[in-house]
Amino acid sequence: MNTTFALTPQQRAWCARLRTLGEQLAPLAARCADGRVDRPLLRELGTLGLLARAVPAAPPWRRVSALDLCLLRESLAYSCPQAETALALQGLGAGPVADAGTAEQRARWLPAVAAGRAVAAFALSEPGAGSDAAALALHAEPDGGTRADDPAGSPEGWRLTGTKTWISNAPWADFYTVFARTGEAPGARGVTAFLVPADRPGLHGEPLDMLAPHALGTLTFDAVPVTRADLLGAPGSGFRVAMRTLNLFRPSVGAFAIGMAQAALDASLEHADGRAAFGGTLRDLQSVSHRLAEMATRTEAARLLVYAAACAYDAGDGEGADLARRSAMAKLLATETAQDVVDAAVQIHGAAALQRGHLLEHLYREVRAPRIYEGASEVQRSLIAKELYRERSEGRDVATGGAGAGEGSASGVGKAARDDPPGAATGRAADEAGEDRL
């Protein structure tokens, strides 16, 4: 049994094995052109059984372990960031299908994604809406009649019109989990999630040339048809679907960053030990040795916060009023720490670290993006502060026997949450608190 603060010998051995696998995958990853989905690498990740750790591969589609996902991403990031990213994007893109998909959707796509045969993508960001879900403009226009058996009168189908951009794996994915405005309510409550296969008429994509060498692109929706069979969850519940996926993956973004920070730290330790300078080695200089100590301490602190958030997620089976805060804290501290550690490692190495092909040159480009995607650092700070005041308010209500102490459960989201599908409580807590920033 693991605790938040220590891994079992079996987990440590698994992490070591993953680092070795990353080293073996690195030559394969290096063959792929920048900006393209690496399908041979995905197939190898599937053959090794690693994708099945990030994507439920077979019924009963059990929830992915957040801690396993963190250990997997951290270990692969240490030795092969390309393999880590390929794996993580499969998990993120397929996450809404695993969470809210129908039996038919899961059977059609999840085994193929876990085997590396199908490529998934999470399509949320737009030119005018990244972290602010309330600003989503991709519009779902009702198409056809309404269901006679639905008291809400929701339509049989929709036409999607608008643009998504900075979408990982676009335009090369085989399907997209798309978040569009259906307008059941204002802001985030009027967003619906759809599963959209890439071959739908009216769906077009263009690649983007980004700093990090990953596949990202823009998608244009020109009256793309979707039906009720393409829904991921109920109409108007798309924000909660997105939040549940992000609450699982945000700590593991931190783990990805920590893997890169550890690689940069280890490279710096080796370099400082062997580089002659001023009659000794770099490690003999107090300014360098103290910087190394600071890098190591901050990396370990961030790692523990990531593990704590993942363990809290697993202990509550994906539910709990504090998961949004814990996930945001883990991602914030780990990604900001990794940026500082990699930058310090470049400084310790000097000009050699900036040469194309150097480990740190690669990490320097890779480490910047995690501070932006899946919620920028500034958004994480806003979310954390909002959650702190929400928890403070609920604690005050409980202490005084007020409104929050009545039907509210331990998760702090009340009776309505118990009527949601499994895992919905965290999304509802954030949504009902007015949190529309992903």
Side-chain angles (χ1 to χ4, degrees):
M1 177 179 180
N2 68 274
T3 71
T4 302
F5 304 102
L7 301 180
T8 65
Q10 293 81 6
Q11 287 171 321
R12 291 195 295 272
W14 185 53
C15 290
R17 172 63 177 154
L18 288 170
R19 287 189 180 188
T20 300
L21 287 176
E23 294 171 356
Q24 296 170 1
L25 290 168
L28 175 61
R31 298 174 197 161
C32 183
D34 286 355
R36 298 296 297 264
V37 169
D38 193 339
R39 290 183 181 266
L41 179 60
L42 285 174
R43 287 193 293 271
E44 186 63 19
L45 288 168
T47 299
L48 292 170
L50 299 183
L51 284 175
R53 295 279 192 156
V55 180
W61 318 110
R62 290 188 177 88
R63 189 187 303 276
V64 171
S65 164
L67 182 59
D68 276 3
L69 185 60
C70 286
L71 299 180
L72 181 59
R73 295 189 67 177
E74 178 186 344
S75 301
L76 285 179
Y78 180 88
S79 50
C80 186
Q82 301 97 314
E84 183 284 332
T85 300
L87 178 143
L89 294 180
Q90 288 286 83
L92 180 64
V97 183
D99 174 74
T102 64
E104 292 77 11
Q105 289 169 333
R106 289 170 174 172
R108 167 67 181 88
W109 291 109
L110 294 184
V113 174
R117 297 192 306 270
V119 178
F122 187 86
L124 174 66
S125 295
E126 299 180 2
S131 297
D132 186 357
L136 289 181
L138 183 72
H139 185 60
E141 183 72 24
D143 183 38
T146 59
R147 287 177 61 102
D149 60 346
D150 186 352
S154 59
E156 291 284 358
W158 297 262
R159 295 273 177 171
L160 304 181
T161 301
T163 302
K164 295 287 184 182
T165 194
W166 306 300
I167 306 304
S168 295
N169 284 346
W172 318 109
D174 297 305
F175 73 92
Y176 301 90
T177 54
V178 178
F179 300 87
R181 180 162 301 287
T182 46
E184 287 77 13
R189 296 180 181 87
V191 173
T192 298
F194 297 93
L195 192 161
V196 184
D199 59 359
R200 285 288 166 87
L203 177 57
H204 309 284
E206 293 291 335
L208 294 170
D209 187 12
M210 306 294 287
L211 178 66
H214 307 308
L216 283 96
T218 294
L219 300 173
T220 302
F221 295 78
D222 184 9
V224 174
V226 291
T227 70
R228 294 184 68 87
D230 300 313
L231 285 171
L232 293 170
S237 68
F239 175 77
R240 292 197 291 273
V241 172
M243 278 298 299
R244 291 195 296 268
T245 299
L246 292 174
N247 281 340
L248 169 61
F249 275 86
R250 272 179 177 155
S252 72
V253 174
F256 168 45
I258 292 305
M260 291 188 288
Q262 189 67 53
L265 172 61
D266 287 351
S268 298
L269 290 168
E270 182 177 357
H271 179 76
D273 191 39
R275 177 62 184 260
F278 306 105
T281 62
L282 280 180
R283 63 174 289 188
D284 298 324
L285 301 177
Q286 187 180 75
S287 60
V288 174
S289 64
H290 283 192
R291 190 70 181 99
L292 290 168
E294 181 73 15
M295 293 160 65
T297 301
R298 293 188 62 193
T299 298
E300 184 66 9
R303 175 183 286 114
L304 292 175
L305 191 58
V306 166
Y307 290 177
C311 287
Y313 184 98
D314 289 339
D317 197 25
E319 298 187 29
D322 65 345
L323 288 187
R325 172 179 57 79
R326 285 178 174 273
S327 295
M329 286 179 168
K331 180 183 185 294
L332 173 65
L333 182 63
T335 56
E336 293 288 336
T337 294
Q339 178 81 56
D340 290 346
V341 168
V342 171
D343 186 74
V346 169
Q347 196 72 14
I348 290 170
H349 280 74
L354 301 177
Q355 187 172 355
R356 182 72 69 177
H358 193 282
L359 168 66
L360 288 172
E361 179 269 336
H362 180 69
L363 293 178
Y364 199 74
R365 289 186 291 122
E366 289 272 7
V367 79
R368 187 60 183 86
R371 293 172 60 207
I372 297 174
Y373 64 65
E374 295 187 38
S377 292
E378 292 76 14
V379 171
Q380 303 307 323
R381 293 184 178 98
S382 295
L383 191 157
I384 292 164
K386 182 173 289 187
E387 287 294 297
L388 289 173
Y389 279 107
R390 181 185 63 78
E391 292 169 8
R392 177 182 172 86
S393 176
E394 290 179 355
R396 188 181 297 120
D397 286 339
V398 170
T400 60
E407 288 190 316
S409 66
S411 66
V413 294
K415 177 181 180 298
R418 297 196 290 271
D419 299 326
D420 275 335
T426 299
R428 179 180 289 278
D431 196 15
E432 292 184 347
E435 177 56 67
D436 52 14
R437 289 171 176 79
L438 296 177

